[in-house]
């Protein structure tokens, strides 16, 4: 039900599903804590494909093994696909009607607020884990690299993972 609800209510695509999944996975069911969920999102962003599907697959596998993976994927994908086929057919027929155009435009601010709340939660988690100085430095550096220089997010995440793992691996190897 967690993946079904998130998939059905996540207007705006994968990023809009993330706060809904967080509420279900962390808040309602307690399958992960905020840190685990944040790590899962970070790793999911490094892989190709839709983020909602990757999150459902991993979380489903984590809580229920292979059957959990299959159920989570089916619950998040199949109802959405069926509803999309039905609703897009209807909306396409009425796309020039003003209320249909307004309906689509009205959802955008709600999704923006949901993403803003999720972003603020991540900033707070970063502050708790790293302190304000390092968190703000990494946020500013990320904005510069991603938005100004156009670096792909997967490359930035891989570089940050390497920056953490290389010193660890060097210590292990030198022992």
């Amino acid at each position: 039900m967690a993946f079904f609800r998130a998939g059905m209510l996540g207007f705006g695509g994968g990023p809009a599903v993330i706060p809904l999944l967080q509420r279900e996975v962390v808040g309602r069911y307690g399958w992960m804590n905020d840190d685990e969920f944040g790590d899962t999102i970070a790793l999911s962003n490094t892989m190709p494909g839709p983020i909602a599907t990757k999150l459902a697959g991993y979380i489903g596998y984590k809580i229920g093994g292979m059957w959990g993976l299959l159920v989570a994927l089916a619950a998040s994908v199949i109802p959405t696909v069926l509803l999309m086929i039905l609703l897009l057919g209807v909306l396409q027929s009425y796309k020039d009607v003003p209320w249909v155009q307004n309906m689509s435009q009205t959802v955008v601010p709600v999704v923006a607020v949901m993403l803003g709340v999720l972003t603020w939660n991540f900033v707070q988690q970063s502050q708790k884990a790293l302190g304000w100085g390092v968190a703000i430095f990494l946020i500013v550096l990320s904005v510069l690299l991603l938005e100004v220089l156009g670096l792909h997010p997967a490359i930035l995440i891989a570089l940050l993972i390497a920056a953490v793992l290389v010193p660890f691996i060097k210590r292990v190897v030198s022992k």
Side-chain angles (χ1 to χ4, degrees), residues 87-170:
L87 285 179
L88 284 179
V90 171
L91 289 176
Q92 192 65 19
S93 300
Y94 297 102
K95 68 180 178 185
D96 296 327
V97 177
W99 72 267
V100 173
Q101 293 172 347
N102 290 338
M103 179 185 68
S104 299
Q105 295 167 352
T106 314
V107 172
V108 173
V110 174
V111 172
V113 169
M114 290 169 45
L115 291 172
V117 169
L118 182 67
T119 300
W120 179 244
N121 287 340
F122 284 145
V123 169
Q124 289 177 318
Q125 288 176 28
S126 298
Q127 180 272 326
K128 287 177 189 170
L130 305 169
W132 277 119
V134 174
I136 290 172
F137 171 75
L138 289 173
I139 290 168
V140 170
L141 179 67
S142 297
V143 168
L144 289 172
L145 292 172
L146 296 172
E147 296 300 320
V148 177
L149 298 178
L151 184 69
H152 191 280
I155 295 171
L156 178 58
I157 291 169
L159 289 172
L160 290 172
I161 290 171
V164 171
L165 289 180
V166 167
F168 175 75
I169 291 170
K170 283 182 180 179

Side-chain angles (χ1 to χ4, degrees), residues 7-8 77-92:
M8 295 306 291
V77 172
I78 293 172
T80 305
V81 168
L82 295 175
L83 189 61
M84 184 180 74
I85 292 168
L86 174 73
L87 285 179
L88 284 179
V90 171
L91 289 176
Q92 192 65 19

Side-chain angles (χ1 to χ4, degrees), residues 8 21 28 44 53 58 69 82 92 126 129 132 134 171:
M8 295 306 291
L21 275 177
R28 182 179 295 223
S44 294
T53 306
Y58 174 75
L69 176 141
L82 295 175
Q92 192 65 19
S126 298
W132 277 119
V134 174
R171 278 185 291 190

Side-chain angles (χ1 to χ4, degrees), residues 3 55-70 72-73:
F3 298 102
L55 288 172
Y58 174 75
I59 295 166
Y61 183 79
K62 183 180 186 288
I63 61 171
M66 190 56 76
W67 283 112
L69 176 141
L70 295 173
L73 286 176

